[in-house]
């Protein structure tokens, strides 16, 4: 009888609750009915069931089935305490979402796109997949990727979707600036103003590089080369390295490398982007006649804490980015060489190249034969930088930035039998500080104001001792102190045009001192020089741009130099127009001037390192550098094919050459001259699939120089002239693996014949005669490089990411001659007579490198 009554009660409840499947019944009413039917008790907070209604399927009648339906349809969690009591709690603390993120236009998955809330976040894998757990229903999830517009959705919205697919759209600002998004590889783009944009943290692996070395990466671009195979020895379209302007967060740097040019002095893992100009640089850049490399670190307050650490066979580094609230963020990076701690094959190969034909190489050779002993040969470098961003509101942002670069070399050689010793010490450092204020006055008017300070120091101390007494020494100092102030306004006139205008002030102090003594010759020389220069500049630029259709930049810099009492005008024009759906034409013209440059000194030539010094133009024997450049080219981009071609003509005036004939000659003569550069850059690239691409770049260039009173008034090729350069590269991405292979070919550098002109009795020295100034050519240069990296995560939570990589430079160990010079030496057959020896400088041999990184 009891069972019959229960059945009747359940039928009534069942009919009441499930008569219409689609009918929504308040959850509280459903729970009350279940309590009465099954003689149980629910314990819950009224706010978690408030306004909740459900419809329960009428196919099953078991209590466990009813509970499962309620949990599924309400997102609540019902826990059984005992046979009578149950608790109902919110289940919003353990919601999981997963899905994919793609580029809206290309539909290519975005690797390392960020998916985060205020408390947690993850990155996407190579397929664009993400998985985020432990979320609250009311949480807001942000989908973000550098250069793209953010998308925000609540967890409540996302959990309704069975499969989450997010398409991110490139930000309007990025779209207006970029014309080619993958120029060589991912992370390298071409802007509408002709500049190249490198994003190291998004950059695909390049041949010969395990990491996105900032300066070495730029040398993959057509028209940018390093004839002496170094990171900082960047020659842009026939210009020399000291004619380039290199900025780090607005701070001008006079030393940009470690280990005498071998490695860039910038940690790529904190660099947001690098903008490279080969021509027609923005009007805000001054005091250069060649290219511009503008490096920028963190530009916005970070959303979450991140940190990284790693090492390769030359250095180890750590970096971190920390948000200190919603208005303040900090970034820090530190790198240090490991050469004084660990002997690696990479450093050995770099050392062989750097120290060849120097006192260190001679000392090592002598040390192999008694009685010479190499007591000390220590080299070390560090670099660290800090950036702090404070944004009190939407209209103001203030950033403080700092960088320090330091290199030290200490070398000592002893001869215990003769009680002789030699000691050499070099300290090279560049530190800089800056403050930037960005102000948005209105929707159409913004302002950027910078104050920067840079200090470059080079100190050399070398001496020779006999019986504990110094009989020969050289002490050299070269220092640059520079303060800059810049305030530039951007006035948006309408949707397609803008006006930039502003004022810049620069104060440069450059000093050089030399103290040298040779007691054997009873000769003592003390020389010093100090120059200061102030420059005031007013600049204005008009920009007309409509996405990829056209872009025109017309600008003018007007600068006054009190030191020379002269005013300089620097007009710059750049234009690009789309003439067909996938075809653009571009042209540019510019005039530039530069008042700081390097000249060569030979007082420390017997040591063989860092014999160039910075000097200020004085209008006389060191004149102002001036350049004029015009370009014309076209760009084609369709169906994975990219062709970018530019022809150019550049003329540089005011060159200074401090020539001494042979390196160890004591006579010095300063010559002034000019150079004319005619060339063409060609890039041909094919993207076969989203993971496979190939490219070929070719550069033709002729650099002709003329120096008054030099070479009998005849023109000759520049010392670093490379007539033809070809680069072929292949890149393949397979899962988490990234491979690249590249082959470099270029014609050898020019060199001169030097012949023995006999012994000059009056001068009491060997007379040398140069024949065919730079008319001969070294053997062609070529080498094969390769790199491979593998990215992986330590756990399924994807919170810790790692990378391991391997690179090989000059795989087939080609012995390339980089440079040929001559020196006077004692004739081994006749010690009373001197002869001329040929001195060749060779490139890197086969050089491996390994990298390992961890990113949190």
């Amino acid at each position: 009888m009891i069972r019959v009554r229960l059945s009747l009660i359940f039928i009534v409840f069942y009919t009441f609750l499930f008569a219409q499947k689609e009918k929504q019944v308040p959850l509280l009413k459903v729970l009350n009915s279940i309590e009465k039917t099954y003689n149980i008790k629910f314990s819950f907070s009224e706010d978690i069931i408030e306004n909740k209604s459900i419809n329960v399927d009428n196919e099953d009648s078991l209590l466990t089935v009813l509970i499962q339906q309620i949990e599924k349809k309400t997102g609540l969690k019902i826990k059984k305490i005992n046979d009578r009591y149950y608790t109902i709690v919110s289940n919003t603390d353990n919601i999981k979402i997963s899905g994919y993120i793609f580029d809206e236009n290309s539909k290519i998955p975005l690797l390392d796109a960020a998916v985060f809330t205020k408390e947690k976040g993850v990155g996407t894998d190579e397929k664009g997949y993400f998985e985020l757990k432990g979320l609250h229903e009311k949480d807001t999830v942000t989908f973000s990727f550098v250069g793209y517009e953010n998308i925000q959705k609540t967890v409540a919205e996302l959990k309704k979707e069975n499969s989450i697919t997010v398409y991110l759209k490139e930000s309007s600002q990025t779209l207006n600036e970029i014309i080619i998004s993958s120029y060589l590889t991912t992370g390298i783009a071409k802007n509408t103003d002709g500049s190249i944009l490198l994003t190291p943290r998004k950059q695909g692996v390049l041949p010969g590089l395990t990491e996105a070395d900032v300066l070495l990466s730029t040398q993959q671009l057509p028209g940018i080369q390093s004839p002496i195979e170094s990171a900082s020895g960047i020659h842009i379209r026939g210009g020399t390295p000291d004619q380039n302007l290199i900025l780090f967060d607005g701070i001008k740097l006079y030393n940009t490398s470690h280990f005498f040019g071998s490695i860039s002095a910038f940690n790529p893992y904190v660099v947001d982007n690098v903008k490279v100009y080969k021509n027609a640089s923005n009007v805000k850049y001054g005091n250069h006649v060649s290219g511009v490399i503008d490096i920028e670190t963190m530009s916005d307050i970070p959303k979450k804490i991140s940190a990284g650490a790693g090492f390769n066979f030359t250095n180890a580094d750590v970096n971190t980015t920390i948000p200190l609230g919603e208005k303040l963020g900090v970034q820090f990076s530190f790198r240090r060489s490991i050469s004084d701690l660990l002997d690696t094959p990479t450093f050995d190969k770099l050392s062989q190249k750097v120290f060849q034909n120097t006192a260190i190489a001679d000392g090592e050779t002598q040390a192999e034969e008694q009685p010479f002993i190499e007591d000390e040969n220590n080299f070390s470098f560090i670099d660290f930088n800090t950036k702090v961003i404070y944004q009190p509101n939407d209209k103001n942002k203030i950033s403080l930035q700092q960088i320090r670069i330091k290199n030290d070399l200490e070398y000592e050689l002893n001869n215990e039998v003769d009680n002789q010793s030699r000691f050499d010490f070099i300290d090279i450092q560049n530190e800089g500080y800056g403050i930037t204020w960005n102000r948005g006055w209105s929707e159409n008017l913004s302002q950027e104001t910078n104050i920067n300070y840079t200090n470059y120091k080079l100190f050399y101390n070398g001496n020779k001792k006999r019986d504990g007494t110094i009989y020969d020494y050289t002490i050299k100092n070269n220092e640059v102190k520079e303060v800059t102030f810049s305030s530039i306004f951007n006035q948006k006139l309408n949707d397609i045009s803008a006006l930039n205008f502003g004022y810049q002030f620069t104060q440069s102090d450059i000093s050089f001192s030399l103290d040298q003594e040779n007691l054997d010759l009873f000769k003592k020389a003390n020389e010093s020089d100090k120059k200061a220069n102030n420059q005031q500049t007013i600049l204005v630029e008009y920009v007309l741009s409509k996405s990829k259709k056209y872009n025109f930049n017309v600008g003018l810099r007007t600068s006054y130099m009190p030191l020379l009492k002269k005013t300089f005008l620097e007009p710059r024009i750049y234009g690009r127009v789309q003439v067909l759906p996938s075809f653009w034409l571009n042209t540019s013209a510019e005039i530039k001037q530069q008042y700081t440059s390097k000249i060569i000194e030979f007082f420390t030539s017997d040591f063989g390192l860092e014999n160039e010094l910075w000097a200020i133009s004085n209008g006389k024997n060191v004149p102002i550098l001036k350049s004029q450049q015009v370009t014309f080219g076209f760009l084609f981009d369709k169906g994975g094919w990219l062709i970018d071609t530019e022809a150019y003509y550049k003329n540089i005036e005011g060159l200074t050459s401090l020539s001494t004939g042979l390196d160890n000659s004591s006579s010095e003569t300063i010559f002034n001259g000019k150079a004319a550069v005619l060339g063409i850059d060609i890039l041909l690239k094919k993207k076969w699939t989203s993971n496979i691409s190939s490219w070929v770049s070719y550069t033709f260039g002729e650099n002709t120089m003329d120096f008054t009173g030099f070479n009998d008034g005849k023109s000759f090729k520049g010392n670093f002239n490379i007539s033809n350069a070809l680069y072929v590269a292949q890149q393949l991405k397979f899962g988490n693996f990234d491979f690249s292979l590249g082959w470099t070919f270029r014609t050898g550098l020019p060199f001169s014949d030097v012949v023995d002109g006999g012994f000059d009795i009056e001068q009491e020295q060997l007379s040398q005669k140069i024949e065919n100034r730079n008319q001969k050519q070294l053997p062609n240069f070529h080498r094969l490089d390769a790199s491979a990296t593998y990215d992986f995560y330590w756990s399924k939570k994807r919170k810790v990411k790692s990378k391991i990589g391997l690179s090989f430079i000059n795989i087939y160990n080609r012995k390339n001659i980089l440079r040929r010079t001559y020196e006077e030496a004692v004739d081994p057959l006749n010690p009373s007579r001197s002869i001329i020896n040929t001195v060749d400088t060779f490139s890197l041999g086969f050089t491996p490198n390994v990298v390992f990184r961890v990113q949190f």
Side-chain angles (χ1 to χ4, degrees), residues 505-525:
F505 173 82
T506 303
Q507 182 182 56
S508 303
D509 290 306
I510 298 182
S511 61
F512 168 76
S513 65
L514 177 75
D515 188 8
Q516 187 178 51
E517 183 170 8
N518 188 319
L519 299 182
D520 279 352
L521 300 179
F522 302 100
K523 175 183 176 183
K524 184 172 183 177

mmCIF file of all heavy atoms in Angstrom, residues 505-525:
data_model
loop_
_atom_site.group_PDB
_atom_site.id
_atom_site.type_symbol
_atom_site.label_atom_id
_atom_site.label_comp_id
_atom_site.label_asym_id
_atom_site.label_seq_id
_atom_site.Cartn_x
_atom_site.Cartn_y
_atom_site.Cartn_z
ATOM 1 N N PHE A 505 67.233 69.199 -29.491
ATOM 2 C CA PHE A 505 68.484 69.826 -29.071
ATOM 3 C C PHE A 505 69.465 68.723 -28.697
ATOM 4 O O PHE A 505 69.118 67.769 -27.990
ATOM 5 C CB PHE A 505 68.260 70.751 -27.878
ATOM 6 C CG PHE A 505 69.542 71.291 -27.289
ATOM 7 C CD1 PHE A 505 70.180 72.381 -27.860
ATOM 8 C CD2 PHE A 505 70.111 70.689 -26.165
ATOM 9 C CE1 PHE A 505 71.365 72.869 -27.317
ATOM 10 C CE2 PHE A 505 71.292 71.174 -25.624
ATOM 11 C CZ PHE A 505 71.917 72.263 -26.206
ATOM 12 N N THR A 506 70.698 68.840 -29.174
ATOM 13 C CA THR A 506 71.727 67.850 -28.876
ATOM 14 C C THR A 506 73.006 68.553 -28.451
ATOM 15 O O THR A 506 73.449 69.497 -29.107
ATOM 16 C CB THR A 506 72.029 66.970 -30.108
ATOM 17 O OG1 THR A 506 70.833 66.345 -30.549
ATOM 18 C CG2 THR A 506 73.051 65.900 -29.764
ATOM 19 N N GLN A 507 73.589 68.096 -27.344
ATOM 20 C CA GLN A 507 74.894 68.588 -26.906
ATOM 21 C C GLN A 507 75.852 67.408 -26.858
ATOM 22 O O GLN A 507 75.629 66.447 -26.121
ATOM 23 C CB GLN A 507 74.817 69.244 -25.544
ATOM 24 C CG GLN A 507 76.165 69.813 -25.080
ATOM 25 C CD GLN A 507 76.108 70.422 -23.703
ATOM 26 O OE1 GLN A 507 75.704 69.746 -22.754
ATOM 27 N NE2 GLN A 507 76.502 71.684 -23.574
ATOM 28 N N SER A 508 76.907 67.479 -27.651
ATOM 29 C CA SER A 508 77.884 66.384 -27.736
ATOM 30 C C SER A 508 79.252 66.877 -27.296
ATOM 31 O O SER A 508 79.732 67.908 -27.781
ATOM 32 C CB SER A 508 77.969 65.844 -29.169
ATOM 33 O OG SER A 508 76.718 65.408 -29.626
ATOM 34 N N ASP A 509 79.889 66.148 -26.406
ATOM 35 C CA ASP A 509 81.264 66.410 -25.970
ATOM 36 C C ASP A 509 82.091 65.162 -26.256
ATOM 37 O O ASP A 509 81.794 64.088 -25.723
ATOM 38 C CB ASP A 509 81.326 66.729 -24.473
ATOM 39 C CG ASP A 509 80.704 68.074 -24.151
ATOM 40 O OD1 ASP A 509 81.120 69.065 -24.759
ATOM 41 O OD2 ASP A 509 79.804 68.107 -23.297
ATOM 42 N N ILE A 510 83.114 65.303 -27.078
ATOM 43 C CA ILE A 510 83.981 64.179 -27.417
ATOM 44 C C ILE A 510 85.413 64.556 -27.089
ATOM 45 O O ILE A 510 85.905 65.606 -27.510
ATOM 46 C CB ILE A 510 83.854 63.795 -28.904
ATOM 47 C CG1 ILE A 510 82.416 63.349 -29.216
ATOM 48 C CG2 ILE A 510 84.829 62.682 -29.256
ATOM 49 C CD1 ILE A 510 82.202 62.911 -30.639
ATOM 50 N N SER A 511 86.071 63.695 -26.330
ATOM 51 C CA SER A 511 87.456 63.966 -25.958
ATOM 52 C C SER A 511 88.324 62.759 -26.287
ATOM 53 O O SER A 511 87.862 61.618 -26.263
ATOM 54 C CB SER A 511 87.568 64.294 -24.466
ATOM 55 O OG SER A 511 87.134 63.208 -23.680
ATOM 56 N N PHE A 512 89.575 63.043 -26.574
ATOM 57 C CA PHE A 512 90.550 61.997 -26.869
ATOM 58 C C PHE A 512 91.874 62.400 -26.262
ATOM 59 O O PHE A 512 92.302 63.553 -26.367
ATOM 60 C CB PHE A 512 90.702 61.813 -28.379
ATOM 61 C CG PHE A 512 91.884 60.958 -28.759
ATOM 62 C CD1 PHE A 512 91.836 59.596 -28.609
ATOM 63 C CD2 PHE A 512 93.063 61.534 -29.236
ATOM 64 C CE1 PHE A 512 92.926 58.813 -28.942
ATOM 65 C CE2 PHE A 512 94.153 60.755 -29.566
ATOM 66 C CZ PHE A 512 94.091 59.383 -29.410
ATOM 67 N N SER A 513 92.538 61.455 -25.604
ATOM 68 C CA SER A 513 93.862 61.748 -25.062
ATOM 69 C C SER A 513 94.769 60.553 -25.275
ATOM 70 O O SER A 513 94.325 59.400 -25.244
ATOM 71 C CB SER A 513 93.783 62.082 -23.570
ATOM 72 O OG SER A 513 93.362 60.961 -22.826
ATOM 73 N N LEU A 514 96.031 60.836 -25.481
ATOM 74 C CA LEU A 514 97.020 59.796 -25.722
ATOM 75 C C LEU A 514 98.316 60.160 -25.016
ATOM 76 O O LEU A 514 98.796 61.283 -25.118
ATOM 77 C CB LEU A 514 97.274 59.632 -27.223
ATOM 78 C CG LEU A 514 98.349 58.611 -27.595
ATOM 79 C CD1 LEU A 514 97.830 57.197 -27.412
ATOM 80 C CD2 LEU A 514 98.815 58.825 -29.023
ATOM 81 N N ASP A 515 98.866 59.214 -24.298
ATOM 82 C CA ASP A 515 100.161 59.408 -23.648
ATOM 83 C C ASP A 515 101.013 58.201 -23.994
ATOM 84 O O ASP A 515 100.645 57.061 -23.698
ATOM 85 C CB ASP A 515 99.976 59.514 -22.129
ATOM 86 C CG ASP A 515 101.269 59.910 -21.427
ATOM 87 O OD1 ASP A 515 102.247 60.243 -22.140
ATOM 88 O OD2 ASP A 515 101.294 59.882 -20.188
ATOM 89 N N GLN A 516 102.158 58.470 -24.647
ATOM 90 C CA GLN A 516 103.008 57.371 -25.105
ATOM 91 C C GLN A 516 104.463 57.702 -24.796
ATOM 92 O O GLN A 516 104.904 58.826 -24.939
ATOM 93 C CB GLN A 516 102.825 57.143 -26.602
ATOM 94 C CG GLN A 516 103.564 55.903 -27.127
ATOM 95 C CD GLN A 516 103.314 55.706 -28.599
ATOM 96 O OE1 GLN A 516 103.485 56.645 -29.375
ATOM 97 N NE2 GLN A 516 102.918 54.517 -28.991
ATOM 98 N N GLU A 517 105.222 56.682 -24.390
ATOM 99 C CA GLU A 517 106.630 56.901 -24.076
ATOM 100 C C GLU A 517 107.438 55.678 -24.475
ATOM 101 O O GLU A 517 107.024 54.539 -24.265
ATOM 102 C CB GLU A 517 106.817 57.178 -22.582
ATOM 103 C CG GLU A 517 108.263 57.487 -22.210
ATOM 104 C CD GLU A 517 108.385 58.004 -20.789
ATOM 105 O OE1 GLU A 517 107.370 57.970 -20.072
ATOM 106 O OE2 GLU A 517 109.478 58.422 -20.412
ATOM 107 N N ASN A 518 108.591 55.936 -25.059
ATOM 108 C CA ASN A 518 109.531 54.872 -25.413
ATOM 109 C C ASN A 518 110.916 55.321 -24.965
ATOM 110 O O ASN A 518 111.547 56.160 -25.606
ATOM 111 C CB ASN A 518 109.512 54.621 -26.925
ATOM 112 C CG ASN A 518 110.323 53.401 -27.300
ATOM 113 O OD1 ASN A 518 111.419 53.179 -26.760
ATOM 114 N ND2 ASN A 518 109.805 52.614 -28.228
ATOM 115 N N LEU A 519 111.344 54.815 -23.815
ATOM 116 C CA LEU A 519 112.608 55.282 -23.241
ATOM 117 C C LEU A 519 113.813 54.860 -24.066
ATOM 118 O O LEU A 519 114.853 55.490 -24.010
ATOM 119 C CB LEU A 519 112.738 54.772 -21.802
ATOM 120 C CG LEU A 519 111.649 55.245 -20.840
ATOM 121 C CD1 LEU A 519 111.912 54.706 -19.442
ATOM 122 C CD2 LEU A 519 111.597 56.769 -20.819
ATOM 123 N N ASP A 520 113.672 53.754 -24.823
ATOM 124 C CA ASP A 520 114.785 53.326 -25.655
ATOM 125 C C ASP A 520 115.121 54.368 -26.718
ATOM 126 O O ASP A 520 116.274 54.576 -27.079
ATOM 127 C CB ASP A 520 114.456 51.998 -26.348
ATOM 128 C CG ASP A 520 114.678 50.835 -25.386
ATOM 129 O OD1 ASP A 520 115.217 51.080 -24.296
ATOM 130 O OD2 ASP A 520 114.298 49.701 -25.740
ATOM 131 N N LEU A 521 114.062 55.029 -27.205
ATOM 132 C CA LEU A 521 114.267 56.029 -28.253
ATOM 133 C C LEU A 521 114.293 57.437 -27.670
ATOM 134 O O LEU A 521 114.371 58.405 -28.417
ATOM 135 C CB LEU A 521 113.142 55.922 -29.296
ATOM 136 C CG LEU A 521 113.042 54.563 -30.013
ATOM 137 C CD1 LEU A 521 111.878 54.584 -30.996
ATOM 138 C CD2 LEU A 521 114.338 54.240 -30.739
ATOM 139 N N PHE A 522 114.202 57.522 -26.326
ATOM 140 C CA PHE A 522 114.172 58.829 -25.655
ATOM 141 C C PHE A 522 113.104 59.735 -26.286
ATOM 142 O O PHE A 522 113.344 60.893 -26.607
ATOM 143 C CB PHE A 522 115.548 59.511 -25.726
ATOM 144 C CG PHE A 522 116.633 58.697 -25.115
ATOM 145 C CD1 PHE A 522 117.486 57.946 -25.921
ATOM 146 C CD2 PHE A 522 116.787 58.652 -23.737
ATOM 147 C CE1 PHE A 522 118.484 57.177 -25.348
ATOM 148 C CE2 PHE A 522 117.794 57.869 -23.167
ATOM 149 C CZ PHE A 522 118.651 57.125 -23.978
ATOM 150 N N LYS A 523 111.919 59.134 -26.458
ATOM 151 C CA LYS A 523 110.849 59.873 -27.120
ATOM 152 C C LYS A 523 109.613 59.841 -26.232
ATOM 153 O O LYS A 523 109.242 58.794 -25.713
ATOM 154 C CB LYS A 523 110.529 59.236 -28.473
ATOM 155 C CG LYS A 523 109.338 59.867 -29.204
ATOM 156 C CD LYS A 523 109.057 59.111 -30.498
ATOM 157 C CE LYS A 523 107.827 59.661 -31.193
ATOM 158 N NZ LYS A 523 107.495 58.904 -32.404
ATOM 159 N N LYS A 524 109.029 61.003 -26.068
ATOM 160 C CA LYS A 524 107.804 61.063 -25.285
ATOM 161 C C LYS A 524 106.802 61.931 -26.022
ATOM 162 O O LYS A 524 107.135 63.005 -26.487
ATOM 163 C CB LYS A 524 108.066 61.636 -23.890
ATOM 164 C CG LYS A 524 106.825 61.624 -22.995
ATOM 165 C CD LYS A 524 107.180 62.008 -21.574
ATOM 166 C CE LYS A 524 105.955 61.924 -20.691
ATOM 167 N NZ LYS A 524 106.246 62.226 -19.290
ATOM 168 N N ALA A 525 105.560 61.428 -26.137
ATOM 169 C CA ALA A 525 104.526 62.181 -26.850
ATOM 170 C C ALA A 525 103.274 62.241 -25.997
ATOM 171 O O ALA A 525 102.830 61.225 -25.475
ATOM 172 C CB ALA A 525 104.209 61.522 -28.185
#
